Every structure is written in C-alpha cells, then in structure tokens.
Amino acid sequence: MSEKNKRSFIRDGLYNINRTMQLDPAAHSKWEVFWLYPHIKAIGLHRMAHWFWVHNHTFIARWVSNRARHWTGIEIHPGAVIGRGLMIDHGMGVVIGETAIIGDDCQLYHGVTLGGTGKQHVKRHPTLEDGVYIGCGAKCLGNITLKKGCRIGANAVLLKDVPEGATAVGIPARIIEKK
C-alpha cells in the first residue's frame, strides 16, 4: 500500500470515528468506538479487501471480506465502493452487494440489504448519493439510485429510484414526502 493510500485509510477511519461520536449518543469515547463498534472494523476491513479487489487479488479480497462478516455480522462485498463517513448502527445483518456504490455521510441500520437483481456482470446493486438514510430492515434492490439526502423507512422494499430529499416507505416503497 502506498504512503498516500495509508494516509487516506487513516484519515477516512478517523472521519468515521468522529462521525460516529456525533451521531451515536451511546458512544462515550473515540477509543470505545475504535475498539468496540463493529461498523468501524467492517469498513476498515472492507477498505483493505477493496484494495485487493481492484488490484485483481480476488481470493485474498474475498477472504478478508469473509473474515469481516464473521467478526462483525456485516457483509460488504469487496467490489462495493464506499465513501467517507458511512455509519452502520447496530449493523448485524447488513448486506452490501458487489456493484453497490455508497456516497459520503450515509447511515444504515441493522438488517439493511443493498441487493442485486439478475445474474449478468453489470451494475445490479443500488447507488446511494451523499447523506442517504436507510432505516432498519429496508431492502433496496437492483440498479436504482437513491438521490442526495433521501430517507428510506424501516422495512421498506425499494425497487425504484428515489428523488433528492424524498422519503420513501412501505412494501413496495412509495414516496410520502419530498422536500
């Protein structure tokens, strides 16, 4: 790993820790977040796995990803692209698929699935723009885009794009509010 990549890895990790301190009232210290919060471990290990993935070391990438899932209960495919500040609160059961793209400062809760549709080797998982919030148990499926600042309610099943600043709830999800 180059010196630039190491600095970026550390800077992004510190940003995630600080963001967790801001969003989680149960977090008492940065050390507690670093050592005990599963999403910090899962995202850090994902960044390593992703580096191996883009450098065509797919077996090692999948091995690291598998270990992270085993340790944290959060499954992130090494091919997924994740921005800074992702917060996965109570992350058990979160699944992020291979072609998913997550922007900066997004927030996911337990049981969220960013899942794919189809078996083709194309973009088949959701794209989350910056500041997207997804409630517990929500399923976002297929090559859809959740625009900046949108909110997805708990247990929603989302199959279509969501406009910027909108809120979607239900099965199948429908827009109930648009800012």
Side-chain angles (χ1 to χ4, degrees), residues 73-157:
I74 299 169
E75 181 172 345
I76 308 173
H77 191 283
V81 176
I82 297 178
R84 292 174 36 148
L86 174 61
M87 166 77 164
I88 305 174
D89 205 357
H90 303 285
M92 187 62 75
V94 168
V95 177
I96 300 172
E98 176 184 11
T99 61
I101 300 171
I102 300 176
D104 294 339
D105 299 326
C106 291
Q107 189 169 2
L108 311 178
Y109 279 84
H110 64 278
V112 167
T113 299
L114 303 180
T117 54
K119 296 178 182 174
Q120 301 81 11
H121 292 284
V122 295
K123 175 83 168 88
R124 61 189 187 283
H125 295 87
T127 296
L128 282 57
E129 293 185 355
D130 295 347
V132 171
Y133 168 96
I134 304 179
C136 59
K139 310 301 178 221
C140 303
L141 305 173
N143 183 14
I144 58 176
T145 301
L146 286 65
K147 298 286 186 175
K148 184 176 183 178
C150 74
R151 301 172 65 81
I152 310 305
N155 293 314
V157 177

Side-chain angles (χ1 to χ4, degrees), residues 48-95:
M48 280 196 295
H50 185 71
W51 186 91
F52 285 118
W53 186 262
V54 299
H55 289 87
N56 213 26
H57 300 293
T58 55
F59 180 84
I60 297 170
R62 293 300 295 262
W63 186 84
V64 171
S65 174
N66 193 277
R67 294 292 85 211
R69 179 177 52 106
H70 176 75
W71 290 329
T72 67
I74 299 169
E75 181 172 345
I76 308 173
H77 191 283
V81 176
I82 297 178
R84 292 174 36 148
L86 174 61
M87 166 77 164
I88 305 174
D89 205 357
H90 303 285
M92 187 62 75
V94 168
V95 177

